[in-house]
């Protein structure tokens, strides 16, 4: 089949449809939020973002981190509270960490207790971050504490999702 000028509008429409499909696919991939880890809530994700920003502002406004840490006391879900206890412990607020620390039920809760003991109470290794904390800032902090005990280099903390 020979292409003529009569086919130009059809080819232009097909090209536009292809571009539209590509842009929609890329757009959905770019703006997709990472899933909330199983057992945690959007509240934890929001407070972790707020805390990460507070720690960046700490040099200009001392006390910002402490104010943001205190905001986590309203968390009720067991995994949220466990994650926030890690945040508080890492920030040096052991009293808040003790109040917030809960051990969720089941094998993942037992894994959390072992990881906490290994990271902060010189408990036995090996220990691993439980699945519900994977993908959270608290999980990364706990992982780095465990890695430090094993003489391994720290992993980068997840950056706050500011542009999403």
């Amino acid at each position: 089949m020979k292409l003529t000028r009569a086919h130009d509008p059809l080819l232009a429409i097909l090209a536009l449809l292809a571009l539209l499909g590509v842009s929609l696919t890329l757009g959905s991939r770019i703006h997709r939020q990472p899933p909330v880890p199983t057992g945690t809530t959007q509240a934890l994700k929001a407070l972790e973002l707020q805390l990460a920003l507070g720690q960046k502002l700490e040099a200009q406004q001392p006390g910002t981190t402490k104010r943001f840490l205190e905001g986590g006391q309203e968390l009720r879900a067991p995994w949220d509270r466990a994650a926030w206890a890690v945040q508080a412990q890492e920030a040096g607020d052991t009293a808040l960490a003790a109040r917030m620390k809960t051990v969720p039920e089941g094998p993942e809760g037992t894994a959390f207790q072992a990881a906490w003991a290994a990271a902060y109470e010189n408990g036995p290794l090996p220990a691993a971050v439980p699945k519900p904390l994977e993908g959270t800032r608290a999980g990364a902090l706990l992982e780095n504490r465990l890695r430090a005990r094993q003489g391994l280099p720290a992993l980068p903390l997840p950056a706050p999702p500011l542009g999403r």
Side-chain angles (χ1 to χ4, degrees):
M1 176 177 181
K2 186 175 178 183
L3 294 178
T4 64
R5 287 207 176 270
H7 292 102
D8 286 350
L10 180 60
L11 290 174
I13 289 172
L14 289 174
L16 285 175
L17 286 174
L19 284 173
L20 179 64
V22 168
S23 70
L24 287 175
T25 301
L26 288 176
S28 69
R29 289 183 184 194
I30 290 172
H31 297 293
R32 185 178 307 158
Q33 294 287 344
V36 175
T38 307
T40 62
T41 67
Q42 288 286 359
L44 174 69
K45 193 172 177 183
L47 282 170
E48 284 195 330
L49 169 61
Q50 191 178 30
L51 180 61
L53 295 175
Q55 289 174 331
K56 290 183 182 296
L57 293 173
E58 186 68 33
Q60 289 119 3
Q61 297 176 340
T64 308
T65 302
K66 185 162 180 55
R67 285 195 308 273
F68 286 151
L69 271 174
E70 290 168 357
Q73 295 181 61
E74 57 199 51
L75 293 170
R76 296 289 170 244
W79 281 109
D80 288 358
R81 291 181 66 82
W84 207 253
V86 171
Q87 298 277 9
Q89 186 72 28
E90 288 292 326
D93 193 338
T94 55
L96 177 60
R99 285 195 312 271
M100 294 296 292
K101 184 180 166 216
T102 59
V103 179
E105 295 179 7
E108 293 295 344
T110 305
F112 172 70
Q113 182 63 38
W116 180 278
Y120 304 116
E121 298 166 355
N122 221 15
L125 288 169
V129 175
K131 286 244 184 263
L133 293 185
E134 288 179 1
T136 65
R137 188 172 185 281
L141 290 168
L142 186 57
E143 174 75 22
N144 281 342
R145 185 63 66 153
L146 294 171
R147 290 176 67 83
R149 281 229 25 230
Q150 297 172 47
L152 299 172
L155 299 173
L157 291 179
L162 300 176
R164 296 181 188 165

